[in-house]
Amino acid sequence: MSAVATHSSHPGPVAPGFLADTWNVMLRELRPVWREPVSVLFAMVQPLVFLALFAPLLPEVSDGSALQWFVPGIVAMTALMGASFTGANLTAEIQSGSHERLLVSPLSRAALLVGRALKEVVPLLMQTAIILVVVTPFSYDLHLRGVLLGLVVLAGFSIGVGALSFALALASKDQDWLFWTVQQTAIFPLLLLAGVLLPLEGAPGWLAFLADLNPLAYVVDAVRELFAGSFDPGVVGAGFAASAVVAALGLVVGLRAMNRSV
């Protein structure tokens, strides 16, 4: 009996069942984080190294610390890296057979995907808090309301990237090398074309054109605007729109991949 058929055999409202399933899946995915919270710190090594090595090279600006420009990009980079790695956990579950056991459980596949994708938001919040604690004593002006709105933009983007990462893991199946090759090939052009480490002003036309096609560029611009305590409706609106498009695309592709995986 398929998972869908088994799930539909239980009468009751769809929305509460879906929400409860999603919550349970998210808690299951977060269990390793609760058991080993220090793993969040290990995941912070790369962003903190970037901050330590790049920050001293940043030029002084007239309207505040250069950290105001650099830190939101580092937070966005942390969100992208963390979300893109999540499919690796699914690859391990596929190889151990636990993923197949979940597919024949009463849990809906949509809840399996959404719960796993939502899990990415919690490490994002923890890592952002660590970064802000580290940089605030160094001439960084903290605008809490803007930070919270910026995290909403990044949360949607992380959910979409996490779902795409799961779809990639399902397509790779037991070929780890394929998952990591695609992930590593895609992630660094996305970061560079979003202006995370270097500004793209004055870039050649072809590079600017590619940056315009990169949804992460709009997300980073919006997060920089919000983290600075500003609110340009055009910049912030474009960031929210790009985040929503990535989230919707990721969930659609991920759900289709999951339905085709059995």
Side-chain angles (χ1 to χ4, degrees), residues 8-99:
S8 62
S9 64
H10 295 277
V14 175
F18 172 78
L19 293 176
D21 288 352
T22 301
W23 177 255
N24 289 328
V25 170
M26 186 180 73
L27 292 182
R28 173 184 178 273
E29 294 295 313
L30 284 172
R31 202 168 297 158
V33 178
W34 305 139
R35 287 176 177 170
E36 298 182 8
V38 72
S39 63
V40 176
L41 292 177
F42 280 115
M44 293 299 302
V45 169
Q46 189 175 46
L48 293 178
V49 167
F50 273 91
L51 276 172
L53 297 183
F54 272 85
L57 302 176
L58 298 175
E60 295 295 330
V61 294
S62 57
D63 55 349
S65 169
L67 285 174
Q68 297 296 146
W69 181 88
F70 193 63
V71 167
I74 290 297
V75 172
M77 182 184 77
T78 304
L80 175 64
M81 299 285 280
S84 67
F85 286 154
T86 54
N89 297 331
L90 182 59
T91 300
E93 289 188 8
I94 292 173
Q95 294 173 354
S96 67
S98 62
H99 176 63

